[in-house]
Structure formats: structure tokens, C-alpha cells
């Protein structure tokens, strides 16, 4: 109650939930338990944990009447908009490949704004500072290829977290997502990109021998057959990243990747994953 941050919240119209109020007490007691039973004398966390950590050091001094409990905090890694990384934030970046595929992990860092990329590279990679400074200088010059710095950042961080195999998987999936790519799609590559893509499920018998025009509509990729035919004539309709030119194209068994999925694309960005049951 003596902490200003708690007092202000309690006095505000918003108030403070019981969960938030007791969080500091629980973390403080946790530090006491670890100090007393496990010999843990230092608790480390982000700067937003300072109040919770000092609650523990105070509790240890008051209950055990001893010194020797310490807290260490680091500045939070914030984005340029002031928001932090964390599981409570939208678009959390998980280190575990079971929670976030190497492809999605790579794509997150490939898509960071120019305002963040150099700072992230300094904090999150082991790239020589001279190289980072040189890259930062290139970003402001004519002829700089957009996302060059982001690509280097994404490769370095993905390699560090997921290893060479994870990076290779991410690069393969990234290339496979490009319409017209010659990279052959396999189930693993599609599995890496599937999260976040619109999808539908159709029976094998429904899909086999179905015209691509009809499938484009039934899958929700396009609104009408006329739109599908128009896009096809313009060269913008893709099946498993291969452009289709023939209006008579029908789905064959060989088109169904590993007998499980099809990837339809309308242009570069609109994609639908068809799961075949």
C-alpha cells in the first residue's frame, strides 16, 4: 500500500484488480521462500518488475531480519511505438518452435520497422558493431535495397534461437510463399506457413478432378467464377505457387501436397490453404 504505483491505481477511477494487487505479495513471498530454502539471493527481471522484486527484499529483511537479498533489473526491450515484447502483448514472440514456427519467427524480425531494426541488431545479435554502423549508413543512401537490414537481423536472430536447421526451414518457407517460386512445397514447409492463413477443409473426393476455377470460389479465395477466370487470364492465379494459365485446369492427385493440402494464391498476398481430409 506504501508504493506510489499501487496507491495511485487504487485512488484512480480504473481501480486495481485483486489479481494485480496480490501479484506483488505473491512474488515477494516467492523470493522469501527461495532465499530461505534454496539459497537464492538475487532476483533478476525487467525494469517493470522493480516493485515486485523489492517487495521480496523488504519481506526478507522484515521476516528473517537478515541482509543479503538483492534485485537486478534491465531496461525493457521496447518497440518504437513504446510497447514491449511479452506473452501478454498482441503478436507475442515465442522462442519455442511449438508455439511459433521458425518461419513466423523469421518473418516477425524481417518485418520490423526501419526505426527499430538497427537498435534490435545491436541488442539481439553478435554482428560486429562496425558492420551494423555501416549498414545503418547504407539505409539512408540512394540505391539501398529495402529490408536489407531486416533480412540480416532476421537471419541472425533465427539462427541463434532455432539453429541452422531452423533458419533453413524459415528461408525455404519464405521462398515457397512467393508466387511463382520454383521452390517445391512440402508438408513441412506448408506447416510452417499455415498459421495465420485463411483455410478450409474439403473431402478428398470433393477436391479431386474439381476445376481450379470452382475450387477458387468454394475455398473462399475469390468471390465468383468470373473473378477467377479474369485473374487466371491476367496470370495472377497460382496453385502451390505455380502459375496456372489454363482455364480447364482440374485438380489431380499429384497437386495435393503429400495427399494433405493445396495452397491457392490470388496475386502475391491473398492465399488460402485447402486441407484435404
Amino acid at each position: 500500500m506504501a508504493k506510489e504505483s499501487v496507491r495511485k491505481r487504487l485512488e484512480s477511477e480504473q481501480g486495481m484488480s485483486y489479481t494485480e494487487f496480490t501479484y506483488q505479495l505473491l512474488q515477494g513471498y516467492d523470493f522469501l521462500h527461495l532465499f530461505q530454502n534454496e539459497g537464492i539471493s538475487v532476483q533478476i527481471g525487467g525494469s517493470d518488475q522493480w516493485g515486485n522484486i523489492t517487495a521480496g527484499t523488504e519481506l526478507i529483511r522484515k521476516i528473517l531480519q537478515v541482509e543479503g537479498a538483492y534485485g537486478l533489473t534491465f531496461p525493457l526491450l521496447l518497440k518504437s511505438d513504446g510497447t514491449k515484447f511479452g506473452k501478454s502483448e498482441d503478436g507475442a514472440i515465442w522462442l519455442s518452435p511449438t508455439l511459433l514456427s521458425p518461419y513466423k519467427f523469421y518473418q516477425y524480425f524481417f518485418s520490423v520497422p526501419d526505426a527499430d531494426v538497427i537498435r534490435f541488431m545491436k541488442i539481439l545479435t553478435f554482428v560486429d558493431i562496425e558492420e551494423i554502423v555501416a549498414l545503418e549508413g547504407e539505409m539512408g543512401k540512394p540505391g539501398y535495397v529495402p529490408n536489407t537490414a531486416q533480412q540480416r537481423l532476421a537471419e541472425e536472430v533465427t539462427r541463434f534461437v532455432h539453429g541452422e536447421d531452423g533458419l533453413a526451414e524459415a528461408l525455404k518457407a519464405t521462398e515457397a510463399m512467393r508466387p511463382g517460386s520454383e521452390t517445391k512445397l512440402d508438408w513441412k514447409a506448408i506447416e510452417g506457413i499455415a498459421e495465420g492463413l485463411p483455410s478450409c477443409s474439403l473431402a478428398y473426393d470433393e477436391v479431386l478432378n474439381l476445376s481450379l476455377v470452382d475450387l477458387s470460389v468454394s475455398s473462399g479465395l475469390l468471390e465468383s467464377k468470373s473473378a477467377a477466370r479474369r485473374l487466371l487470364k491476367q496470370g495472377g492465379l497460382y496453385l502451390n505457387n505455380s502459375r496456372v494459365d489454363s482455364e480447364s485446369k482440374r485438380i489431380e492427385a499429384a497437386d495435393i501436397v503429400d495427399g494433405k493440402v493445396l495452397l491457392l494464391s490470388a496475386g502475391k498476398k491473398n492465399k488460402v490453404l485447402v486441407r484435404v481430409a
Side-chain angles (χ1 to χ4, degrees), residues 211-214 225 228-230 232-233 237 244-250:
S211 74
L212 181 60
V213 170
D214 288 336
K225 293 181 182 181
R229 293 189 184 98
R230 184 165 55 250
L232 196 148
K233 290 177 181 177
L237 189 57
V244 178
D245 298 314
S246 172
E247 189 176 321
S248 62
K249 168 63 182 174
R250 291 183 175 275

Side-chain angles (χ1 to χ4, degrees), residues 5-275:
S5 59
V6 175
R7 190 172 64 254
K8 282 186 175 180
R9 284 289 302 277
L10 290 173
E11 293 172 354
S12 69
E13 290 184 6
Q14 181 186 7
M16 192 175 197
S17 71
Y18 178 77
T19 302
E20 289 178 287
F21 184 78
T22 55
Y23 190 97
Q24 199 168 105
L25 302 177
L26 290 169
Q27 187 165 330
Y29 183 78
D30 183 62
F31 197 178
L32 170 66
H33 174 83
L34 291 171
F35 181 90
Q36 188 174 25
N37 297 285
E38 304 294 340
I40 304 298
S41 59
V42 180
Q43 193 171 96
I44 302 173
S47 56
D48 62 339
Q49 294 294 307
W50 177 250
N52 297 331
I53 292 173
T54 55
T57 60
E58 290 174 16
L59 196 62
I60 290 167
R61 281 197 297 269
K62 289 178 179 178
I63 292 180
L64 302 181
Q65 299 292 305
V66 296
E67 299 291 335
Y70 305 96
L72 176 63
T73 62
F74 296 94
L76 290 175
L77 178 60
L78 299 176
K79 306 171 193 175
S80 56
D81 61 4
T83 58
K84 65 180 180 179
F85 291 83
K87 63 179 181 295
S88 60
E89 302 292 329
D90 289 337
I93 304 305
W94 299 94
L95 300 181
S96 169
T98 60
L99 298 174
L100 190 73
S101 70
Y103 165 74
K104 291 289 184 181
F105 185 89
Y106 176 93
Q107 285 298 314
Y108 177 85
F109 287 99
F110 185 79
S111 303
V112 301
D114 286 349
D116 287 328
V117 64
I118 295 299
R119 184 165 54 89
F120 286 0
M121 194 173 288
K122 290 176 180 177
I123 295 171
L124 300 175
T125 78
F126 295 99
V127 176
D128 289 339
I129 191 65
E130 293 82 5
E131 185 179 343
I132 296 174
V133 171
L135 189 57
E136 184 177 20
E138 291 296 318
M139 290 177 69
K141 295 180 181 179
Y144 170 75
V145 178
N147 290 103
T148 298
Q150 282 87 342
Q151 182 176 350
R152 185 65 193 282
L153 170 68
E155 289 180 358
E156 289 294 324
V157 179
T158 304
R159 181 186 291 110
F160 181 71
V161 174
H162 295 293
E164 290 291 349
D165 289 345
L167 176 59
E169 178 187 330
L171 292 175
K172 182 177 181 180
T174 297
E175 174 63 17
M177 282 293 284
R178 182 173 59 86
S181 166
E182 294 182 2
T183 299
K184 180 175 174 57
L185 286 170
D186 56 27
W187 172 243
K188 190 173 183 181
I190 292 177
E191 191 174 34
I193 65 180
E195 183 184 350
L197 282 183
S199 65
C200 68
S201 295
L202 295 172
Y204 188 90
D205 292 341
E206 288 182 82
V207 174
L208 195 63
N209 293 322
L210 184 66
S211 74
L212 181 60
V213 170
D214 288 336
L215 182 60
S216 299
V217 177
S218 61
S219 66
L221 178 68
L222 296 166
E223 294 181 357
S224 64
K225 293 181 182 181
S226 59
R229 293 189 184 98
R230 184 165 55 250
L231 186 65
L232 196 148
K233 290 177 181 177
Q234 295 170 350
L237 189 57
Y238 294 82
L239 172 62
N240 297 333
N241 283 346
S242 297
R243 188 168 63 189
V244 178
D245 298 314
S246 172
E247 189 176 321
S248 62
K249 168 63 182 174
R250 291 183 175 275
I251 304 301
E252 303 171 35
D255 295 323
I256 305 174
V257 178
D258 294 337
K260 296 178 179 179
V261 292
L262 294 160
L263 183 64
L264 303 181
S265 306
K268 293 182 178 180
K269 295 185 177 180
N270 296 327
K271 300 178 185 293
V272 167
L273 189 70
V274 180
R275 302 182 188 277

